[in-house]
Every structure is written in C-alpha cells, then in structure tokens.
C-alpha cells in the first residue's frame, strides 16, 4: 500500500494527508475507513495509529467541500467515526498541531490519544453558528469534565494539549517525537481488552441542574442574537442527563436546526466573505510582493497615531512625521496613552509597551523617509495639502516605495497624478479608531501596480485587518453607501419618527450604534460639509434639510455638548432633547408635512435597503469585486450585525423579488426617486436570483 498506510512492526501507521490542515474531505474520510478495514483484516496488525502532520492532526471539516455534495457523502464523518470506534483492534490518535472540530471528534472516537504538549485543541463550530455535530458535545464532557467542555464548546477557543495532561482526554502528553511515542504506546496497549471507548465513561455531576441554569443565564445574556451557544448548553446538558445514544441523537437534531438558522447562514457567509475579500481577480496568488520592513506615517493626528500603532503592534518600525514639534509631541503622547490603557487592563506588559514605543522614530523632516518601504499619509483632508505631501514624497522616497493615502473622500487618481510614479500609489483607508477597527479599504487607482496591491493585501493580514478592495469613487464602498443610509434616517424623522426612535429601532435590529448617536459622536459638521458638496454635484437627489438646521445652530454633537441629543459635561450618554423635538415640529409645520406614525420595521427596511441599493450600483460599476466584499465592509467597519450577514446578504435573505417590491412601494409612498431599484437588483429579481448566487 502507499506511504499513507505503513506497517511498523505490528502497528499500522495511517497517515492523514490533506494539506494544509488535514481537513476531513471525502477522500480523507474514505482513506481512514479503508485503512481501519485493512488493519482489522490483517492478522499481522495488532493496533493502528492515526497521525497527521506537524501542523495539524486535523483542523476539522474541509472548507473547500462546504456546500458541495462531498461534504456529507458516504463515508460521512459519522460513518468514519463509527468505523474507528468499532474497530476490533485499538486505534490510537497521535496528535500534533491543530486538532479541531471534526478532527477532535475523530480523535475522541479513537480508543486512545497521545498528543504533543503544544497541540491545539478546540471545538470552534459555534463561531459558524452551529455546534459540534459528530459527537463532540457528548464525548468531550466525558473526558475533560462538564464545565471545561462547556467553556470550550461555547467559546470555540483553542486550548494547548498540555493543559489536559492527566485528564482522560489524553493517555499521554509528550514534548516531541510523537510517532515514536505513539508506536511505543500502541505496542503497550495492543492486547488490552475490552477496548476503551469514551462513550462508556459515566458522567457524575451532581450539581448539573444549577450549573446549566447558571450557564443559560450568563450565556443567554452575552449572546442574545445567536442561538448556537444556547443549543451548545442544551447538548452538553443532554450528555449529563441522557444515555450516550440519546445524547447523540439530540446533538444531531440541534445541529440540523442550527445549520438552517439565518444566523448560522450569516456567520458562514462572513467566514467565506473574509477569505474571498483577500483575493483580487487579476492579481494571481503568488504575485511577487515588495518587502515592507519600515513604514512612514505622515500626520500624528487622530488617524495617523492609530495607523502607526498597527505597525508597531506587528513589530514594524515607524517613522512618524509632523509639521510642528508640538503636534508631534501630542501625537506621541496619545499613542503612549493608548498603550498605557492596554497595560492597565493587563493586556500588555511594560516591556512590550517600551518595545513598541521604541520602534517609533519621530521626525519633522522628509529626509527621514529615504529608506522607508511604505508611507501612509493622514494629513488634513484637503487636496492642496495632499498635493504638497505627495510631491515631497515623490522627491525623497526610494524607487519602489509604496505611497499611500488615508483620504476618505478625495480622488485617488488625482493624488497619484501628483507623483511621477502613479503605479506605486494606493489608497489605504483605515477606520477610526484605526488601531481597533478591523476594516481597511484598499483603494485601487487606475494605475496602481498589481504587486503594490498584492503587497498591501498581505500587509493587511499581518496587521490583522480585513482588507477589501475598492475602486475609485466618492466615498469608496463604505461611506458612499452610508450617505444613502443617513439620507433615509433624515427623511424618517421629517416624516414622523423621532431620532431616538430611529436609533432604537436600528440598534434593536442589531446595528452597533444608531445613526443619530453616530453623527453626534463623529461630529455633525463632517456630514454637513459633504452634503453641501452633494447639493451642488447631485441636484436631482433630494435631502431633508433638518440636519443643516442643527448644524447652523452649532449643534455638532458630543464635541459641542449638543447635537441630535444633549450631553452633560464630561459624559457621553445621549439624552433626548426637547429642544430638538420642538425644532422638528417647527420644521414640519414650515414644510407643510403632516407627521405620521412610522413603524420600526419601516425604519429598518428603508435604512438597510438604501444600503443594499447603493451596494448593487457599486457592484455594477465594478467599484466592488463581489457582493460579499460589500458585506465585509459593513460587518467590519460599520457595526453591521454579523448575524445578519451584511446589507447584500440581508437582501438575499429577504429575496430579491421582495426587496424590489418593497423599494417600489417606498418610491410610491415617498416619491423618492432613489427607490428605483438598481438595474442589477432588478435583474436578480426578474431572474429569481440572489447576490450570493
Ligand atoms: N477622522 C476619521 O474618522 C477618518 C477616518 C478615515 C480617514 N480619515 C482621513 O484621515 C486623514 C486625517 O484625518 P484625521 O482625522 O486624523 O485628522 P487630524 O486633524 O486629527 O490629523 C491630521 C494631522 O495631520 C497633521 N498635518 C497636517 N498637514 C500636514 C503636513 N503637511 N505634513 C505633516 N502633517 C500634517 C496635523 O498637524 C494633524 O496632526 C484625512 O485625510 C481624513 O479624511 C479620517
């Protein structure tokens, strides 16, 4: 037979070989089943060792087979586990690297387990809105105890094998030389009968009822929009209260329920969306990248400081430039203050803080940029200022250095044209706070080189961002869509809702922050400036003028102590303001608007579908590569609830036909021409299709 099945004395060594993580593909499951059959049929064999690679025993299901018939084709995971457990001869799992999900469930169906100390053990299914469906919820509590198992299943987080030394999960934990240790162990237990099966272990847990009640209360409060964690508790409770086979049946039933839940569908969409976003159609994998060993940041203000921190956290030195010493000192002090906050929370040591601060070279001179590999400017949002900056960069930076702008609204092609090397210019649009927010819009200019794109996409991973490529347009993907969402929120107030009703409805639906609280936090003046430009550029798109009335009164939000809400000194709680209520009433009277009662449903649908419609236009224009990219922008940069999957996925869940019907109704009722469905959306509805296909 092949090298995947070898005899070592009286022990059959069965190699799991499906790189990179030994995902339990149809081929791998077939291999396991036939290897066990072969071992049982061979009189020379007394025991079998299942072993993976150094990186992984098995990372679980093979994600490449997700949503294909192969995922559940026979031998499915249940069959494979059954064959292993029922083997006449002992099966020993030899575990190193990742042992997760179905991989751990496979190991638990073996009769013995030997692991290296640093093997990583996890049941991460909950992160995809499901639960371990191949016995994990029934077997893990039997070997590590109910509380530890529940923690692992509800959190999905990995635990090093060393932590389980002495538990029934591992018969032996070894520092290294896994195969030799497993062979020695196999020879020792080869003749022992009856065979040890995890299913036969009795769970003795006298306080079960009180414990599970407590778990339901805490987990319920922490994960209220997600059904999976609660089902995990029910499944583990069944492991305690029911015989093994009944527990397995319940687990299978819960698994089926969860797989069908919209929340799990949304989480899986986000999981694949994240992977898809890193791919650019015409930039093949393996495109040569440029080395980024030193980064320059211009402007140590709100964004520049946060941007610099990303690189410091990844151990990459940063040269930080400002125009005045005072601004430089202020920026550095803010970075230090941020790190000190993390230190106080115990998430950073003093040594790490010192190392990170030590990686910064503060400067007032462009000469310090001669050897940087990438520069990101975060100076004032003014094309004149950007022009000066890019001309200076063009003069001092070495050939091949990537020149990036953090602009939110300016034309990246114009900025690139300020240099003699537009191919090296790219937009890197971070979101505030830049050291926290996951999203990075990578703005691809008309001339941006492919290796520049490949480089920044790789770098984004290194600094733990979700990078999404956007073409050049006003506002790129995220802010361009936000504009239309905000526009609806204003109309809703004009027509009869209060700002707090709109905020409450959207927050209840799952948005991290209501739009009016968001404006007050970001500063109403920012949107005002953009709208003034829009009034000129898009005279046929109407806007409610209420927010302008507020801005004219100097009510910019938290920073002026009043905006849509009022604020008490030193506090951020948004308090509904009777003055604003009166202002709205007067405004309606003046405009002859008779207020009507608006339902929370209408609020949510008008706001979210405004995002969808603009997202569809962005797709048609090729600004975004795929619908899931648009969703990733909203999930990682705009507080869109992950369990809803994003504005495009939400439309898919409603169905494109229903979305178009709703939009047509809104157009009729409000007279707003924006509700004419984007041609792409109309086409999907006509053809009975969805964005996600
Ligand atoms: N604030 C946000 O939420 C946000 C989000 C994404 C992108 N942006 C973009 O980031 C950029 C910076 O915004 P910010 O909010 O950090 O502004 P900011 O005013 O907080 O900081 C700008 C900094 O740049 C410095 N500066 C100005 N001109 C300079 C020059 N010629 N050389 C060196 N330094 C100079 C200023 O001293 C100031 O410290 C803008 O392009 C903005 O559109 C902002």
């Amino acid at each position: 037979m092949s090298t995947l099945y070898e005899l070592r004395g009286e022990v059959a060594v069965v190699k799991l070989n499906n790189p990179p993580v030994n995902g339990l593909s149809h081929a791998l499951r077939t291999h396991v089943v036939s290897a066990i059959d072969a071992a049982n049929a061979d009189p020379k064999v007394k025991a079998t060792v299942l072993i993976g690679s150094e990186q992984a025993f098995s990372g679980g299901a093979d994600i490449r087979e997700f949503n294909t018939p192969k995922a559940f084709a026979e031998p499915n995971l249940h069959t494979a586990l059954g064959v292993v457990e029922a083997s006449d001869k002992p099966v020993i799992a030899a575990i190193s690297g990742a042992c997760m999900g179905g991989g751990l469930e496979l190991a638990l169906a073996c009769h013995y387990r030997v692991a290296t100390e640093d093997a990583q053990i996890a049941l991460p299914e909950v992160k995809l809105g499901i639960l371990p469906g191949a016995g994990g919820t029934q077997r893990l509590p039997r070997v590590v105890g109910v509380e530890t198992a529940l923690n692992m299943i509800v959190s999905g987080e990995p635990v090093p094998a060393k932590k389980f030394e002495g538990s029934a999960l591992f018969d032996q934990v070894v520092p290294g030389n896994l195969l030799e240790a497993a062979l020695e162990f196999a020879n020792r237990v080869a003749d022992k009968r009856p065979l040890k099966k995890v299913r036969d272990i009795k769970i003795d847990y006298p306080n079960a009822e009180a414990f599970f009640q407590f778990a339901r209360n805490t987990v319920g409060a922490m994960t209220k929009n997600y059904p999976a964690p609660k089902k995990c508790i029910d499944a583990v409770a069944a492991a305690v209260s029911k015989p093994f086979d009944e527990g397995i049946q319940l687990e299978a039933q819960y698994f089926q329920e969860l797989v069908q839940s919209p929340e799990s569908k949304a989480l899986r969409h986000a999981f694949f969306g994240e992977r898809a976003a890193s791919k650019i159609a015409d930039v093949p994998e393996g495109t040569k990248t440029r080395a980024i060993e030193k980064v320059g940041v211009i402007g140590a203000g709100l964004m520049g400081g946060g941007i610099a921190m990303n690189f410091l956290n990844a151990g990459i030195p940063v040269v930080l430039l400002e125009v005045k010493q005072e601004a430089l000192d202020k920026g550095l002090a803010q970075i230090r203050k941020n790190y000190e906050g993390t230190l106080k929370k115990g998430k950073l040591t003093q040594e790490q803080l010192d190392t990170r601060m030590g990686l910064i070279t503060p400067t007032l001179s462009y000469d310090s940029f001669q050897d940087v590999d990438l520069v990101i400017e975060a100076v004032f949002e003014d094309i004149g200022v950007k022009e000066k900056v890019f001309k200076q960069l063009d003069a001092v930076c070495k050939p091949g250095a990537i020149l990036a702008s953090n602009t939110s609204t300016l034309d990246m092609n114009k900025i690139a044209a300020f240099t003699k090397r537009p191919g090296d210019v790219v937009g890197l649009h971070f979101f505030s706070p830049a050291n926290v927010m996951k999203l990075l819009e990578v703005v691809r200019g008309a001339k941006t080189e492919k290796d520049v794109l490949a480089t920044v996409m790789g770098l984004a991973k290194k600094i733990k961002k979700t990078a999404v490529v956007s073409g050049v347009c006003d506002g790129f993907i995220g802010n361009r869509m936000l504009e239309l969402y905000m526009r609806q929120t204003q109309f809703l107030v004009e027509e009869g809702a209060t700002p707090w009703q709109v905020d409450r409805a959207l927050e209840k639906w799952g948005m991290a922050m209501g739009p009016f609280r968001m404006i007050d936090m970001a500063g109403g003046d920012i949107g005002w400036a953009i709208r003034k430009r829009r009034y000129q550029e898009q005279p046929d798109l109407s806007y409610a003028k209420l927010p302008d009335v507020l801005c004219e009164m100097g009510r910019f939000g938290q920073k002026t102590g009043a905006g849509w809400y009022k604020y008490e000194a030193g506090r951020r709680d948004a308090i509904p303001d009777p003055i604003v209520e009166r202002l709205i009433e007067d405004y309606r009277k003046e405009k002859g608007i008779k207020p009507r009662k608006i339902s929370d449903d209408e609020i949510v649908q008008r706001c979210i579908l405004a995002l969808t419609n603009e997202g569809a236009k962005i797709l048609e224009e090729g600004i975004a590569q795929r619908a899931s990219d648009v969703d990733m922008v909203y999930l990682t940069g705009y507080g869109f609830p992950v369990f809803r999957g994003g504005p495009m996925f939400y439309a898919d869940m409603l169905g494109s036909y229903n979305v178009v019907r709703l939009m047509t109704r809104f157009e009729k009722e409000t007279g707003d021409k924006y509700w004419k469905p984007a041609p792409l959306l109309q086409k999907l509805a006509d053809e009975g299709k969805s964005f996600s296909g």
Side-chain angles (χ1 to χ4, degrees), residues 298-304 321-323 327 378-381 385-386 389 406-408 429-430 432:
I298 313 180
L302 176 70
M303 294 307 288
L321 183 141
E322 263 287 350
V323 262
V379 302
F380 300 138
E381 186 76 339
V385 181
K386 306 271 191 206
V389 166
N406 182 48
T407 180
S408 320
H429 187 214
F430 288 82
S432 176

Side-chain angles (χ1 to χ4, degrees), residues 493-572:
V493 169
E494 198 177 74
E495 291 164 39
T498 60
W500 14 107
Q501 186 201 352
V502 174
D503 277 356
R504 255 198 325 264
L506 284 158
E507 285 170 12
K508 206 170 102 202
W509 185 79
M511 296 298 287
M513 190 185 279
F516 291 96
R517 289 210 296 132
M518 193 166 90
I519 298 173
D520 275 5
M521 197 184 72
D525 48 331
I526 296 177
W528 193 24
I530 296 173
R531 281 194 307 279
K532 282 186 207 162
R533 191 153 53 83
R534 288 268 190 289
Y535 299 155
Q536 306 290 323
E537 291 168 0
Q538 296 184 322
D540 51 341
L541 196 64
S542 58
Y543 279 83
K545 296 288 165 52
L546 251 169
D548 298 354
V549 176
L550 252 74
C551 287
E552 279 154 17
M553 294 167 71
R555 293 182 70 115
F556 293 156
Q558 286 183 19
K559 62 183 170 191
T560 56
W564 287 99
Y565 294 88
K566 60 181 177 182
Y567 297 87
E568 283 168 5
R571 300 189 55 136
R572 289 183 175 189

Side-chain angles (χ1 to χ4, degrees), residues 20-55:
V21 295
N22 284 327
L24 293 162
S25 61
H26 181 243
L28 187 56
R29 300 189 306 261
T30 308
H31 167 58
V32 169
V33 169
S34 32
I36 298 288
D37 285 345
N40 280 328
D42 185 348
K44 291 194 294 298
V45 173
K46 289 186 125 184
T48 303
V49 167
L50 289 187
I51 189 163
S53 65
E54 208 175 303
Q55 290 73 37

Side-chain angles (χ1 to χ4, degrees), residues 445-647:
K447 297 195 172 149
T448 307
E449 294 286 355
K450 289 180 183 175
D451 68 333
V452 169
L453 288 168
T455 304
V456 296
M457 295 306 276
L459 188 64
K461 262 191 202 148
K462 196 160 180 188
I463 60 170
K464 303 200 170 80
K465 297 286 174 197
T466 301
V468 176
V469 177
S470 170
V472 176
C473 70
D474 195 350
F476 313 128
I477 299 174
N479 285 343
R480 174 170 157 185
M481 289 165 66
L482 189 71
E483 177 71 18
L484 280 310
Y485 168 90
M486 286 301 188
R487 186 173 163 272
Q488 283 307 314
T489 66
Q490 308 296 356
F491 281 140
L492 286 159
V493 169
E494 198 177 74
E495 291 164 39
T498 60
W500 14 107
Q501 186 201 352
V502 174
D503 277 356
R504 255 198 325 264
L506 284 158
E507 285 170 12
K508 206 170 102 202
W509 185 79
M511 296 298 287
M513 190 185 279
F516 291 96
R517 289 210 296 132
M518 193 166 90
I519 298 173
D520 275 5
M521 197 184 72
D525 48 331
I526 296 177
W528 193 24
I530 296 173
R531 281 194 307 279
K532 282 186 207 162
R533 191 153 53 83
R534 288 268 190 289
Y535 299 155
Q536 306 290 323
E537 291 168 0
Q538 296 184 322
D540 51 341
L541 196 64
S542 58
Y543 279 83
K545 296 288 165 52
L546 251 169
D548 298 354
V549 176
L550 252 74
C551 287
E552 279 154 17
M553 294 167 71
R555 293 182 70 115
F556 293 156
Q558 286 183 19
K559 62 183 170 191
T560 56
W564 287 99
Y565 294 88
K566 60 181 177 182
Y567 297 87
E568 283 168 5
R571 300 189 55 136
R572 289 183 175 189
D573 312 57
I575 307 164
D577 191 344
I579 296 178
V580 172
E581 237 159 319
R582 266 200 309 280
L583 214 68
I584 296 172
E585 277 166 26
D586 292 346
Y587 174 89
R588 289 181 190 137
K589 267 188 209 139
E590 194 191 309
K591 296 255 162 188
I593 299 168
K594 217 171 136 229
R596 65 185 174 89
K597 209 170 146 29
I598 297 180
S599 72
D600 285 4
D601 271 357
E602 179 177 342
I603 291 173
V604 168
Q605 282 172 343
R606 276 176 56 183
C607 294
I608 305 301
L609 293 183
L611 289 175
T612 311
N613 207 27
E614 196 63 18
K617 292 179 189 174
I618 281 175
L619 277 171
E620 276 163 6
E621 291 167 29
I623 298 292
Q625 297 189 86
R626 46 184 92 79
S628 63
D629 278 12
V630 176
D631 286 336
M632 289 320 293
V633 166
Y634 266 77
L635 295 178
T636 57
Y638 291 84
F640 200 98
V642 183
F643 66 90
R644 305 264 187 206

